[in-house]
Amino acid sequence: MSVLQVALEPSTVVVAVDPGKVMNRVWVSDGAGLLEDPVSLPVARSGIAALEKMLAVHGGERVFAIEATGSLHRAWVAELERLHPGAIRLFAPSETKSARTQLGSGRFKTDDRDCAALTYLTRQGMGRRPVEEQPVEGLRSAVRYRRGLVAERKKAQQRLHDQLNALVPGLSAPAGHGRELAIERPTGQAVLACVVAFAGRAPSTRSLIARSPGRLSKAAAEYWVSRWRDCLPPPSDALARAQRLGRDLARYRILQADVAAVEDEIATLLAGTDGQVLTSLPGVAATRAAAFAAHSLPIARFPDAEHLYSATGLAPAMYESATLRRRGGISRQGLAEHRDALMGIAQGLSRYSPSFAERDAELRARGMAPIQARVALARNACRLIYRMLLTQQPFDEGAYRRGRLSRGR
């Protein structure tokens, strides 16, 4: 990351931009103060044209400070980088909030206060160039798209279970009530296809096997057909329900195909970033590695592993005042998907890495609940990930074990 750390000359014109969905708030100033009244410009060509006309009357070097808010900043960043190469500085919302706090307005967020904070940071030489974000932007977009698809797929699975239970009561039993029917697997898909084809009536073993999209043994087919025949008959409107189920099943299969396609895309995009090294962790494949790397890169944004851990929101909330010091639960600051990604990596390591599995057993032996132990493991995992992203060295189980024991952890 190119954190410049060189204060700007007073004559340098700073253009602070707080992005929005339709309008961007813009401040134009130099070392003496505002050169133009604060203005809101449209996120369109007319807005860029108005900004260029505004800057035409002010000479000197120009620096554009833009808050990297989700994807709202991308359009202007791309166009301004084309018009003013090398003049763009990006800031995370957390950096803007920190600067607002230093300026005495931490609790009061307005577009103008954000622009003041961006100007304050830029004049100190802070910020990073957009070229450092470009390899990660595509990965972050794909990761977020997959997260949305997975959420939709979960709802679709619940709806399919409800419809199946209405047509064939008792066939789709949850875990703990006999063999569970996993809808996403070939057996579940074959059962749903037969429910649609026969409007809830029990099929033959041959029909069930024929409609399976994957391998379905004869023994498994016979089990489900036998269980099916023991169920109560379908309702009187079974035909209409089966038709609705068929449409939902088609949508579910499209979702499955979309998830598979975007996961292939994520694997390709991850290979072009520093996050590829995380796939060397046991129990961490491309999807889990990309989910965390997308919100952590470029890693130089974080001065140390503790700042990265705090950004996930898993660090405990702290309150200090004079002699009072209180430690609460996890702060839950930052993005939920960032936090979920780190917890997923901790889960994978606890299952497939001997060192983390031993640590997990130690924590549970102390009386920690499973979720508490996983949060504690996530902190160890975060330290490890931070070092891997910095050094680009793959995970070595033996080296990690020796290092942890030498530190007494």
Side-chain angles (χ1 to χ4, degrees):
M1 179 182 66
S2 300
V3 177
L4 306 180
Q5 300 291 356
V6 177
L8 300 180
E9 295 292 333
S11 59
T12 303
V13 176
V14 175
V15 182
V17 180
D18 185 46
K21 291 182 179 179
V22 179
M23 306 290 287
N24 290 343
R25 191 65 171 173
V26 178
W27 275 27
V28 180
S29 63
D30 61 8
L34 287 171
L35 299 175
E36 301 280 347
D37 291 334
V39 61
S40 295
L41 299 177
V43 184
R45 293 178 181 175
S46 58
I48 293 290
L51 178 60
E52 290 297 305
K53 184 178 179 180
M54 188 187 306
L55 294 177
V57 298
H58 303 292
E61 183 184 0
R62 298 166 186 170
V63 175
F64 297 82
I66 304 178
E67 186 179 59
T69 308
S71 61
L72 300 179
H73 65 288
R74 294 178 189 168
W76 268 39
V77 167
E79 186 63 16
L80 290 174
E81 181 67 19
R82 185 182 69 83
L83 296 173
H84 306 275
I88 313 300
R89 305 288 183 270
L90 295 181
F91 296 88
S94 57
E95 295 174 296
T96 308
K97 181 179 179 181
S98 177
R100 282 204 324 269
T101 302
Q102 295 179 49
L103 295 173
S105 59
R107 292 189 176 184
F108 305 98
K109 184 188 184 312
T110 65
D111 292 346
D112 285 333
R113 291 175 190 269
D114 281 345
C115 287
L118 291 168
T119 303
Y120 171 73
L121 291 171
T122 306
R123 292 219 163 270
Q124 297 179 66
M126 305 297 289
R128 58 188 182 278
R129 302 188 188 278
V131 66
E132 300 163 2
E133 296 283 333
Q134 289 174 1
V136 186
E137 284 292 341
L139 178 64
R140 188 177 299 130
S141 174
V143 165
R144 284 177 168 163
Y145 181 71
R146 180 190 176 276
R147 184 179 175 88
L149 288 179
V150 170
E152 292 178 28
R153 184 177 64 180
K154 183 177 181 180
K155 294 179 182 178
Q157 286 178 342
Q158 293 171 341
R159 189 162 55 246
L160 289 174
H161 272 291
D162 290 341
Q163 291 172 290
L164 176 59
N165 188 61
L167 278 164
V168 190
L171 181 64
S172 177
H177 294 271
R179 189 183 299 184
E180 184 181 6
L181 180 64
I183 280 181
E184 68 278 6
R185 301 201 174 192
T187 303
Q189 291 290 297
V191 168
L192 289 173
C194 285
V195 172
V196 173
F198 301 107
R201 299 188 307 274
S204 65
T205 302
R206 182 177 178 182
S207 295
L208 191 61
I209 294 175
R211 284 174 172 79
S212 175
R215 183 180 180 277
L216 175 58
S217 69
K218 185 177 179 181
E222 288 175 347
Y223 169 83
W224 287 106
V225 169
S226 174
R227 181 165 165 175
W228 199 326
R229 288 172 179 164
D230 190 45
C231 293
L232 293 172
S236 58
D237 60 343
L239 183 58
R241 289 176 180 270
Q243 290 173 349
R244 291 195 292 268
L245 175 60
R247 292 192 294 270
D248 275 346
L249 181 58
R251 282 190 288 267
Y252 177 78
R253 287 172 175 170
I254 292 173
L255 272 176
Q256 285 282 71
D258 285 348
V259 170
V262 78
E263 285 178 351
D264 291 340
E265 183 183 350
I266 285 173
T268 303
L269 292 169
L270 180 66
T273 69
D274 291 344
Q276 177 65 25
V277 70
L278 299 184
T279 58
S280 64
L281 290 169
V284 181
T287 301
R288 273 181 173 165
F292 189 74
H295 302 291
S296 303
L297 297 176
I299 194 60
R301 289 186 297 143
F302 304 97
D304 52 44
E306 293 304 317
H307 280 77
L308 175 59
Y309 185 64
S310 179
T312 66
L314 289 176
M318 299 294 294
Y319 178 81
E320 291 186 13
S321 179
T323 59
L324 178 65
R325 182 173 181 177
R326 187 167 61 238
R327 178 187 176 112
I330 63 174
S331 66
R332 296 187 183 275
Q333 294 182 352
L335 298 172
E337 50 261 47
H338 198 186
R339 183 161 56 253
D340 293 345
L342 182 56
M343 290 290 281
I345 289 178
Q347 181 184 20
L349 287 171
S350 67
R351 294 180 62 186
Y352 296 100
S353 168
S355 298
F356 278 85
E358 291 174 9
R359 178 64 173 164
D360 184 45
E362 291 172 7
L363 294 172
R364 295 196 186 196
R366 294 181 190 175
M368 282 191 179
I371 189 65
Q372 293 175 318
R374 192 176 301 173
V375 170
L377 286 178
R379 186 169 190 172
N380 294 337
C382 191
R383 294 193 188 104
L384 172 62
I385 290 169
Y386 183 83
R387 183 165 184 81
M388 289 175 64
L389 290 175
L390 276 182
T391 63
Q392 287 297 292
Q393 295 296 319
F395 178 71
D396 184 334
E397 184 77 44
Y400 176 75
R401 180 185 293 273
R402 291 192 298 272
R404 188 171 70 87
L405 292 177
S406 66
R407 293 190 299 269
R409 294 177 180 172

